Amino acid sequence: MGVAKDVSKDIKAVLRDQISGKLLLPLQKIPSERELSELFSITRISVKSALDSLEVEGLIYREDRRGWFVSPPRIKYNPLSRCHFHQMIRDQQRTAKTQLLGVKSMMAPSIIATLLALSELTPIHVIERLRYIDGRAVLFVENCLISHCFPDILSEDLAQSLTILYATKYGFKTNRSNFEFIPTAAPEHVAQALNIRTGQQVLKICRVNYNQHNDIIDCEFEYWRTDAVMISINN
Amino acid sequence: MGVAKDVSKDIKAVLRDQISGKLLLPLQKIPSERELSELFSITRISVKSALDSLEVEGLIYREDRRGWFVSPPRIKYNPLSRCHFHQMIRDQQRTAKTQLLGVKSMMAPSIIATLLALSELTPIHVIERLRYIDGRAVLFVENCLISHCFPDILSEDLAQSLTILYATKYGFKTNRSNFEFIPTAAPEHVAQALNIRTGQQVLKICRVNYNQHNDIIDCEFEYWRTDAVMISINN
DNA sequence: GAGTGGTCTAGACCACGTC
DNA sequence: ACGTGGTCTAGACCACTCG
């Protein structure tokens, strides 16, 4: 770290103070980069780098071309609890919403086929959904279901919990799951939905679900805004 | 995303190709930012932003003021397996090393006291270690032990597995643990050890360990280089 | 001492969101 | 139409690493 001047130390400290002192509230907009650069007499690039680093800390987040905002507290996500999304959010006194983005039916591409232990050319449904916490889009989810296990599922309301739908309509209970958590870059379709830049850091979670007969029934790719979540495991 | 020119698309694609095509090997140095800026006829700032974004993907990493390097494959880390670090790395055909950075004895600060369910002013030992995979420093670990549970531990070799030391010297087995995984910014002392910039993204793991009598025995803070690891859970 | 990345200035134009 | 962030140029000096 440059000990000498560090132009951005000032602005970082001020914003941190304002946020921890509740002068800037969660979801509230931060003054524009140009305003900040005038206020602190530094270039926009320096402002940007200061904001970037507060973003890494998880204190603020950006909406592509809309501005910078203060991050709400992280949601605690326990992947071993069988709790579904809306329940989990409600338990933490927050509000959840799920929006169906679209459904595609296709032959399983090789990555998916491997994950699901299928021979290739097996038909699958891909359900894309966007999830909100307190009105903010924080999670893009892609579910890949083996079509023949879920006849007629496309006529159902797919904005509800799939776990519950699996249980009520098909008698499948998710018995166990395999998870992988990888901090990586957002692919384009994900970035678009979450309103971030392609290539920005997200937390990717790949998950393969097994039913009570120990058959693989689906896999899921979750992409979380990094500042929105922490993984919490109690065992 | 800028559809128009996107000066950095070229360089990103080229580097990605060279890495996936094994022309650039893991741990190998990438040409300097100035060289790249000349090669691709773009400014150093543009080079930097392209490298930043490959870093987010986990393809490359930086050593502060030393340069950019190609990331080796991620280690799979299963926090539920009782496997210790060296074992885990060996199982994945990689080589591990642990270096003791220092030990401090102090009164538990309030954050630690809360985690360990202690009244304040309880003495603890803080053991700081740095862990290497294939010669690269990827993990900074801080263990906070309740002193009176571990008499005389400071006279032991603390570069070995603490889990094993707990078992052999004190008869403690780690029975269960609570984990939290948080992508966040590296604090200064961590950044220094890992040879990254203060404020750069790391994966922080907080862990509280219980022994066979269900007593809390220690807590641990791990800071991983983001590109070095993925969390993998099978249950 | 030469080379590296880290940081900074002082501008510019573009794509997109919002009104 | 205007304001936002996204990207870019063309330099500069500094702090640090390495041989």
Side-chain angles (χ1 to χ4, degrees):
Chain A
M1 279 316 298
V3 179
K5 39 180 186 178
D6 217 343
V7 163
S8 65
K9 224 162 207 167
D10 199 26
I11 176 174
K12 275 162 55 171
V14 169
L15 287 174
R16 252 196 284 260
D17 271 11
Q18 301 241 337
I19 291 170
S20 68
K22 311 277 183 194
L23 294 175
L24 287 168
L25 293 171
L27 302 177
Q28 192 177 330
K29 191 171 180 312
I30 286 170
S32 78
E33 295 181 357
R34 284 173 179 81
E35 269 180 84
L36 291 172
S37 80
E38 283 191 19
L39 274 173
F40 291 88
S41 306
I42 54 180
T43 49
R44 236 186 95 207
I45 287 191
S46 305
V47 170
K48 210 178 259 294
S49 107
L51 295 176
D52 281 347
S53 100
L54 294 176
E55 182 187 35
V56 168
E57 287 181 47
L59 284 181
I60 63 177
Y61 64 96
R62 68 177 102 194
E63 300 273 345
D64 198 38
R65 281 165 233 270
R66 282 195 354 105
W68 292 88
F69 303 83
V70 178
S71 301
R74 293 178 194 262
I75 284 288
K76 284 195 183 192
Y77 175 16
N78 182 346
L80 299 185
S81 92
R82 296 275 164 271
C83 184
H84 62 267
F85 182 76
H86 286 256
Q87 180 73 50
M88 170 176 86
I89 304 306
R90 211 180 310 126
D91 288 349
Q92 297 180 47
Q93 287 78 50
R94 312 280 285 273
T95 64
K97 197 184 80 181
T98 299
Q99 178 192 354
L100 180 65
L101 296 179
V103 184
K104 294 177 286 191
S105 296
M106 55 168 84
M107 296 300 152
S110 59
I111 309 169
I112 309 280
T114 308
L115 266 180
L116 293 176
L118 295 173
S119 54
E120 304 215 13
L121 299 179
T122 306
I124 59 171
H125 298 312
V126 179
I127 303 174
E128 294 190 340
R129 303 188 294 174
L130 187 59
R131 300 197 131 157
Y132 298 78
I133 297 176
D134 297 338
R136 172 187 171 215
V138 295
L139 170 58
F140 177 92
V141 194
E142 230 166 20
N143 280 84
C144 306
L145 333 194
I146 303 170
S147 304
H148 65 73
C149 295
F150 299 97
D152 208 30
I153 195 166
L154 301 189
S155 63
E156 298 291 330
D157 169 20
L158 296 176
Q160 66 170 301
S161 157
L162 291 185
T163 319
I164 291 178
L165 184 58
Y166 292 176
T168 55
K169 185 167 170 126
Y170 304 96
F172 289 154
K173 279 193 289 188
T174 302
N175 190 41
R176 63 189 191 89
S177 312
N178 290 346
F179 297 90
E180 279 180 359
F181 301 82
I182 310 175
T184 189
E188 191 162 348
H189 68 297
V190 171
Q192 215 152 31
L194 289 177
N195 214 341
I196 59 182
R197 290 195 328 287
T198 301
Q200 200 177 322
Q201 175 92 249
V202 289
L203 183 63
K204 178 177 181 181
I205 305 181
C206 304
R207 165 177 181 158
V208 180
N209 294 315
Y210 295 75
N211 69 11
Q212 66 270 35
H213 311 303
N214 222 23
D215 301 319
I216 295 179
I217 51 176
D218 77 335
C219 71
E220 182 177 306
F221 301 95
E222 301 186 359
Y223 299 87
W224 285 84
R225 286 191 84 123
T226 302
D227 66 306
V229 69
M230 71 170 78
I231 309 301
S232 173
I233 297 180
N234 305 293
N235 75 306
Chain B
M1 282 318 307
V3 179
K5 37 180 185 175
D6 216 341
V7 163
S8 65
K9 223 163 209 167
D10 200 24
I11 175 173
K12 279 172 31 177
V14 170
L15 287 174
R16 253 195 284 261
D17 271 11
Q18 301 242 338
I19 291 171
S20 70
K22 310 278 183 194
L23 295 175
L24 287 169
L25 294 171
L27 304 178
Q28 192 177 332
K29 190 169 181 311
I30 287 170
S32 80
E33 295 181 357
R34 284 172 179 84
E35 270 180 84
L36 291 172
S37 80
E38 283 190 19
L39 274 174
F40 291 90
S41 307
I42 55 180
T43 50
R44 234 185 95 207
I45 287 191
S46 305
V47 170
K48 211 179 259 294
S49 110
L51 295 176
D52 281 346
S53 102
L54 293 177
E55 182 187 33
V56 168
E57 287 180 47
L59 285 181
I60 63 177
Y61 65 96
R62 68 176 100 194
E63 300 272 346
D64 198 38
R65 280 168 235 267
R66 283 195 353 106
W68 292 89
F69 302 84
V70 178
S71 300
R74 294 177 192 264
I75 283 287
K76 285 197 182 190
Y77 176 15
N78 183 347
L80 299 185
S81 92
R82 295 276 165 267
C83 183
H84 63 267
F85 181 76
H86 286 256
Q87 179 74 51
M88 170 175 87
I89 303 306
R90 211 179 312 126
D91 287 350
Q92 297 179 48
Q93 286 76 52
R94 311 279 286 272
T95 63
K97 196 185 81 183
T98 299
Q99 177 192 355
L100 180 64
L101 296 179
V103 184
K104 293 177 286 190
S105 295
M106 56 167 84
M107 298 298 153
S110 58
I111 310 169
I112 309 281
T114 308
L115 267 180
L116 295 177
L118 297 172
S119 54
E120 304 214 12
L121 299 180
T122 306
I124 59 171
H125 298 312
V126 179
I127 303 174
E128 293 190 341
R129 303 188 294 173
L130 187 59
R131 304 229 205 216
Y132 297 77
I133 298 177
D134 297 338
R136 171 187 173 216
V138 295
L139 170 58
F140 177 92
V141 193
E142 230 166 19
N143 279 84
C144 306
L145 333 195
I146 304 170
S147 305
H148 64 73
C149 296
F150 300 97
D152 207 29
I153 195 166
L154 301 189
S155 63
E156 298 290 331
D157 168 21
L158 296 175
Q160 65 169 302
S161 158
L162 291 185
T163 319
I164 292 178
L165 184 59
Y166 291 179
T168 54
K169 187 171 168 118
Y170 304 97
F172 289 155
K173 279 193 290 188
T174 303
N175 191 41
R176 62 190 192 88
S177 312
N178 290 344
F179 296 91
E180 280 180 358
F181 301 82
I182 310 174
T184 188
E188 193 162 348
H189 67 299
V190 172
Q192 215 151 31
L194 289 176
N195 214 341
I196 59 181
R197 290 197 326 287
T198 302
Q200 201 176 321
Q201 176 93 249
V202 289
L203 182 63
K204 178 179 180 179
I205 305 181
C206 305
R207 164 177 184 160
V208 180
N209 295 315
Y210 294 76
N211 69 12
Q212 65 269 37
H213 311 303
N214 223 23
D215 301 319
I216 295 178
I217 52 176
D218 78 334
C219 71
E220 180 177 308
F221 300 95
E222 301 186 359
Y223 299 88
W224 285 84
R225 285 192 86 123
T226 302
D227 66 305
V229 69
M230 72 169 78
I231 308 302
S232 174
I233 297 179
N234 305 293
N235 76 306

